[in-house]
Amino acid sequence: MFKAILTYDGTRYFGWQKTKNGPAIQGELEKAIALVTGESTMPEAASRTDRGVHAKAQVVQFALKNQVQPHRLQRALNALLPSDIRVLEMVLEEFHPTLDAKCKEYHYNLDIGPVQDPIRRLYSWHFYYPIDLVKMKIATLDLIGTHDFTAFSNIEEKNPICTVESIIFDGHFVVKGNRFLYKMVRNIVGTLVYIGCGKLPPGCIPEILQSKDRKKAGVTAPAHGLYLHEVFY
Amino acid sequence: MFKAILTYDGTRYFGWQKTKNGPAIQGELEKAIALVTGESTMPEAASRTDRGVHAKAQVVQFALKNQVQPHRLQRALNALLPSDIRVLEMVLEEFHPTLDAKCKEYHYNLDIGPVQDPIRRLYSWHFYYPIDLVKMKIATLDLIGTHDFTAFSNIEEKNPICTVESIIFDGHFVVKGNRFLYKMVRNIVGTLVYIGCGKLPPGCIPEILQSKDRKKAGVTAPAHGLYLHEVFY
C-alpha cells in the first residue's frame, strides 16, 4: 500500500472528499494517479478536511495493482497535480490512515487588528475587535483532557468523547488530540475568541461542555485559518 | 498632504504604477479616493514596485482640495479597496515620498527544497536545487557599501551609485539601502542564489560589480518573492 504525505492550499477546494459541487483534493489526486498509472484508485485520508481548510501534512493511503517505485510516482504526481497540491513524501507501508492514527495536530491562524493583512487574508481569520489573549490562554486549560465535546460539534455524533492533549495559544492556536468531532477545532477557536472579546465569560467552558448544547459555545471560526498540521501514528 | 501606509498582495497587479495592460495599485487607490471624495488625485509612492511584487508598508502621498479627517478617509478606503490592498495608516504630513526617503528595506522569501510548498507558492521563490547557505551568507559581504551597481540593473541608469547598508540572510533576505536600481534587489537575490548552487564562484561579486555588465550577474529572481518592507524617512 502507498502512504503519501500531502500538503495543500485548500482555498479553492471543496475539501478532501470528492463532491459534485466542485473540485476536491481526493478527486485531483485520483485523476493524477490515473494519468500516471492508468489505474483507478480511491485514496483515503487521515482527516477529511472541510472546504477551504489547508493541510501541511495530510496522510493518504491508496493501493495499486501494478508495481511502481514510490519516489518515481511522487515525482510524476507532483508534475501533474495543480500547484496548490503537492506530495511531500511517498513510501510503501501497511497501515490504516484513520484507525491507526493516535493523535492529530491542527493549527489555526488569527490576524488580530483593525486592518486585515492582505498577504495573510487567505490563510488566517481576521478578527477586527480587540481581544484579551491572556483570558483566552487561561480558558484553553478547561478544554484539555477527556470530555464529551457534543457542544463543540456541528452534527450529532455517535461517540462524542475526545481527548484534547494540548492547546498552545500565542496569538495562533496549536491543538492536539486523539480525535476531533465535526468542526470541533473551529468551534473551539470560535469559543476562545468569543471569550477573548468578552462575548462569553472567562469561566464558561466547563458549563458549555456539560450542557452538550452547540448553541452555548461560540461561532464556528472560518475554514481558511485552519491547517491540518500533522498526524501521529 | 495625506501620507498613507499601504500594504498589498501584489499577485494580481501590474505593479504600483497605472498601466493600460492591467490593474495597478495606484489605479485602485485613485478609484477608491475618487469614490469617497469625488476628487481626482495622482498618488505618488516611495517605491514603484514592479508587477507581482508585494508591499508590507508602501508609503504613498496625495493631496485633496477638501478637508477630510485622515482616519475617516482610511476607514472609507479600506471599505472600498479590493481585499488585497489595505491602508494601514493615514496622517496629514508634508513630505516627499521619494526625495525624503533615507533608506528602504526589502525582504525576499525563498522556498528551498525538491517539493514546493503550495501554501507559500504565491509568496516565495521555490528553488529546486540544493544551495549552500553559508557560501551565500559570506558573499553578501561583498555587496555591502557604496558601489556602482550597473551590473545589477536591468536598464541603463543615470546614477548607478547605491549604498547597500546591510543584507541579512538566513534562508530569507533582508536588504537595506539608500536607493535601488531597476530590479536590483531581485538581481542581488538571483546572483546570491547562483553562488549558493554553484553556478557562480563564491568570490565573484567584486568582479561582477567592476564589470558593470548585467550579463555577468545571476538571474533576476521572480517578483512574487519580493516585499517592500519599510521606507525610512
Side-chain angles (χ1 to χ4, degrees):
Chain A
M1 254 169 345
F2 287 88
K3 178 185 187 177
I5 313 293
L6 243 65
T7 174
Y8 45 83
D9 177 339
T11 307
R12 69 182 189 89
Y13 293 102
F14 280 64
W16 161 258
Q17 199 152 28
K18 267 208 312 195
T19 153
K20 283 176 186 159
N21 303 325
I25 313 294
Q26 190 185 33
E28 296 295 328
L29 185 61
E30 266 184 41
K31 261 193 281 176
I33 294 172
L35 273 168
V36 176
T37 66
E39 295 191 36
S40 73
T41 54
M42 180 65 130
E44 255 196 271
S47 165
R48 275 175 293 164
T49 54
D50 282 325
R51 181 176 181 177
V53 174
H54 315 290
K56 273 284 175 192
Q58 168 76 283
V59 180
V60 174
Q61 190 227 52
F62 59 91
L64 288 175
K65 282 176 210 107
N66 292 304
Q67 276 200 350
V68 192
Q69 282 194 313
H71 72 274
R72 279 173 173 266
L73 181 56
Q74 178 192 358
R75 240 194 292 171
L77 292 179
N78 279 338
L80 288 169
L81 284 164
S83 64
D84 45 13
I85 306 176
R86 280 293 172 268
V87 183
L88 285 176
E89 279 178 55
M90 176 92 76
V91 290
L92 290 166
E93 196 177 309
E94 296 302 310
F95 80 114
H96 194 287
T98 53
L99 300 179
D100 291 345
K102 291 215 175 71
C103 174
K104 282 175 202 156
E105 181 175 321
Y106 288 91
H107 289 199
Y108 196 97
N109 286 343
L110 284 183
D111 174 17
I112 305 160
V115 181
Q116 180 173 36
D117 180 356
I119 290 160
R120 297 198 296 141
R121 76 192 187 288
L122 303 174
Y123 306 100
S124 61
W125 180 20
H126 176 236
F127 198 78
Y128 181 90
Y129 300 98
I131 54 179
D132 184 330
L133 304 186
V134 177
K135 264 193 204 167
M136 293 167 71
K137 223 178 160 87
I138 295 168
T140 62
L141 300 175
D142 292 329
L143 289 158
I144 310 298
T146 304
H147 304 286
D148 181 326
F149 277 95
T150 300
F152 291 87
S153 172
N154 282 12
I155 53 168
E156 220 174 289
E157 306 269 359
K158 269 188 213 162
N159 171 14
I161 311 296
C162 307
T163 304
V164 171
E165 291 177 20
S166 63
I167 303 179
I168 302 170
F169 176 65
D170 61 352
H172 302 287
F173 297 87
V174 177
V175 184
K176 256 173 121 167
N178 71 330
R179 58 191 290 272
F180 292 94
L181 310 178
Y182 187 55
K183 299 203 175 163
M184 178 168 144
V185 179
R186 289 161 60 188
N187 290 332
I188 286 176
V189 168
T191 303
L192 289 169
V193 165
Y194 267 24
I195 290 171
C197 72
K199 275 197 115 175
L200 282 171
C204 65
I205 301 263
E207 208 181 304
I208 292 171
L209 284 167
Q210 253 186 331
S211 76
K212 300 182 191 175
D213 182 359
R214 173 68 191 87
K215 292 193 287 293
K216 302 270 187 212
V219 71
T220 303
H224 67 284
L226 184 63
Y227 298 72
L228 170 63
H229 191 81
E230 203 173 342
V231 186
F232 300 89
Y233 287 93
Chain B
M1 253 168 347
F2 288 87
K3 177 185 186 176
I5 312 293
L6 243 65
T7 175
Y8 45 84
D9 177 340
T11 307
R12 68 182 190 90
Y13 293 102
F14 281 64
W16 159 258
Q17 199 153 28
K18 269 208 309 197
T19 152
K20 282 175 188 162
N21 302 325
I25 313 293
Q26 189 183 34
E28 296 296 328
L29 185 61
E30 267 184 41
K31 261 194 280 177
I33 295 172
L35 273 168
V36 177
T37 65
E39 295 191 37
S40 73
T41 54
M42 179 64 129
E44 256 196 271
S47 166
R48 277 174 293 165
T49 54
D50 281 325
R51 181 175 180 178
V53 173
H54 314 291
K56 272 283 174 193
Q58 168 75 284
V59 181
V60 174
Q61 189 226 53
F62 59 91
L64 289 175
K65 282 175 208 107
N66 292 305
Q67 277 198 350
V68 192
Q69 281 192 314
H71 72 274
R72 280 173 171 265
L73 180 55
Q74 179 191 358
R75 241 194 292 171
L77 292 178
N78 279 339
L80 288 168
L81 283 164
S83 64
D84 46 13
I85 307 175
R86 281 292 172 269
V87 183
L88 286 176
E89 280 179 52
M90 176 93 75
V91 290
L92 290 165
E93 194 177 309
E94 298 300 312
F95 80 113
H96 195 286
T98 53
L99 300 179
D100 291 345
K102 292 213 176 72
C103 175
K104 282 175 204 157
E105 182 176 319
Y106 287 91
H107 289 199
Y108 196 97
N109 287 344
L110 284 183
D111 174 17
I112 305 160
V115 181
Q116 180 172 36
D117 180 356
I119 290 160
R120 297 197 297 140
R121 76 193 187 288
L122 304 173
Y123 306 100
S124 61
W125 179 20
H126 176 236
F127 197 78
Y128 181 90
Y129 299 98
I131 55 179
D132 184 330
L133 304 185
V134 177
K135 263 192 204 168
M136 291 167 72
K137 223 178 160 88
I138 295 168
T140 61
L141 300 175
D142 291 329
L143 289 158
I144 311 298
T146 304
H147 303 287
D148 181 325
F149 277 95
T150 300
F152 290 87
S153 170
N154 282 12
I155 53 168
E156 219 174 288
E157 306 269 359
K158 267 187 214 163
N159 171 14
I161 311 295
C162 307
T163 303
V164 171
E165 291 177 20
S166 63
I167 303 178
I168 301 170
F169 176 65
D170 61 353
H172 301 287
F173 297 88
V174 177
V175 184
K176 255 173 121 165
N178 70 329
R179 57 192 289 273
F180 292 94
L181 309 179
Y182 186 56
K183 300 203 173 163
M184 179 169 145
V185 179
R186 290 162 59 188
N187 290 333
I188 285 176
V189 168
T191 303
L192 290 169
V193 165
Y194 267 23
I195 290 171
C197 70
K199 275 196 113 174
L200 282 171
C204 65
I205 301 263
E207 209 180 302
I208 292 171
L209 284 167
Q210 252 186 334
S211 75
K212 299 182 192 175
D213 181 359
R214 173 66 191 88
K215 291 193 288 291
K216 301 271 188 211
V219 70
T220 303
H224 66 284
L226 184 62
Y227 299 71
L228 170 63
H229 192 82
E230 201 173 344
V231 186
F232 300 88
Y233 287 93

